[in-house]
Amino acid sequence: MFLYLFAAFVLYKVIEEDRHLRSVLQKKFAQKENLAILGQMSSNIIHEIRNPLTTIKGFSTLLNNKLADNELRSYCQLMLKETDNINKVISAFYRYAKPQSPSFKELFLDEIIINLKASIDPKCQENNISILYNLNCAEMQVLADLEQLQEVILHVVQNSIEALEGRSDGKIEISTSYSRLTDEVVLQIIDNGRGMTREEKLLAGTPFYSLKNNSVGLGLSICYQYINKHNGYIEIHSNLGMGTDLSIFLPSLTSNKKTSHLSISN
Ligand SMILES: Nc1ncnc2c1ncn2[C@@H]1O[C@H](COP(=O)(O)OP(=O)(O)O)[C@@H](O)[C@H]1O
Ligand SMILES: [Mg+2]
């Protein structure tokens, strides 16, 4: 009798598990399908928006160059700024809804960061932020799409810069390390900016979530999507008023090679 009951219980559990798994998979497929439909729709809409926008931008530039009246010129400049904003929003939406398949290459992580210094350093200087590089993966390679990885790094740094707005002692640290335990390369971007509450931290990366004015809130969603395609993941540690530590984990390609140390600051 006990055996029958036990067998029935196990069977029930298996069926329940199977049902749960099926519902999760169905949701995942539905999400994928929705994203594919969204991608197709957005590419049509974006095409329809971009063409007239190019015309508006072209004529606004022409008027701006021709007009003598300063007030009228300032209206043209506003039109140009707003068309740029619309362009930014639609291209972020396009990149999110119809992401390019990554084109993987064997790349040195530290080298990618060193090459990005030319874009990162002036932005930090402009905003009175001190930047520290602590790179420990000179010989570590990752399988990555260069453009996507660069976009992720620049976006996360941009978020840090924005989180440091209004602070005179702003600091950003970019570091790389290798975790022998998990055979992963870790890229950390740490700031001492405004930080996030627990709820904000959970919502960060949800499409269209943003606490900023004039922002689409797709930046981190795109980063999550790209890193996911690289078989990696992102972790955020943040405390309100203390700062944020965003870590990107990527599988290492050269786990057997020894790490070397390189430290740059300015
Ligand atoms: N380094 C950071 N410090 C504090 N908050 C952050 C940081 N990075 C992201 N966030 C929060 O996550 C939100 C979503 O970021 P993101 O997806 O890049 O969108 P956006 O930058 O357009 O707002 C931001 O609006 C901000 O509230
Ligand atoms: Mg952002």
Side-chain angles (χ1 to χ4, degrees), residues 204-266:
T206 307
F208 306 107
Y209 169 76
S210 174
L211 286 183
K212 299 164 197 165
N213 293 329
N214 302 321
S215 217
V216 225
L218 280 176
L220 279 182
S221 310
I222 294 172
C223 296
Y224 275 103
Q225 215 174 43
Y226 284 172
I227 296 302
N228 216 1
K229 283 258 162 86
H230 282 68
N231 284 328
Y233 56 97
I234 294 179
E235 270 181 15
I236 301 179
H237 298 280
S238 185
N239 285 306
L240 195 64
M242 305 287 284
T244 299
D245 168 345
L246 188 143
S247 301
I248 299 165
F249 296 81
L250 292 169
S252 134
L253 245 191
T254 39
S255 54
N256 49 349
K257 290 192 184 167
K258 66 177 194 320
T259 58
S260 67
H261 186 84
L262 171 65
S263 199
I264 320 162
S265 63
N266 71 343

Side-chain angles (χ1 to χ4, degrees), residues 106-146:
E106 294 182 4
L107 303 169
F108 288 99
L109 184 62
D110 286 5
E111 209 173 285
I112 300 175
I113 294 162
I114 291 166
N115 289 334
L116 283 176
K117 268 172 70 59
S119 316
I120 296 172
D121 293 358
K123 268 195 208 161
C124 288
Q125 254 161 26
E126 247 170 62
N127 290 281
N128 258 329
I129 295 167
S130 56
I131 172 104
L132 176 81
Y133 296 88
N134 186 13
L135 309 178
N136 302 289
C137 293
E139 290 175 41
M140 284 288 167
Q141 281 190 308
V142 287
L143 205 56
D145 178 305
L146 180 63

Side-chain angles (χ1 to χ4, degrees), residues 152-166:
V152 170
I153 299 167
L154 288 177
H155 189 80
V156 176
V157 171
Q158 183 59 35
N159 274 349
S160 288
I161 293 175
E162 286 162 4
L164 285 163
E165 209 182 283

Side-chain angles (χ1 to χ4, degrees), residues 14 42 50 87 171 248 257:
V14 169
S42 66
R50 265 208 183 129
N87 250 326
K171 275 190 214 123
I248 299 165
K257 290 192 184 167

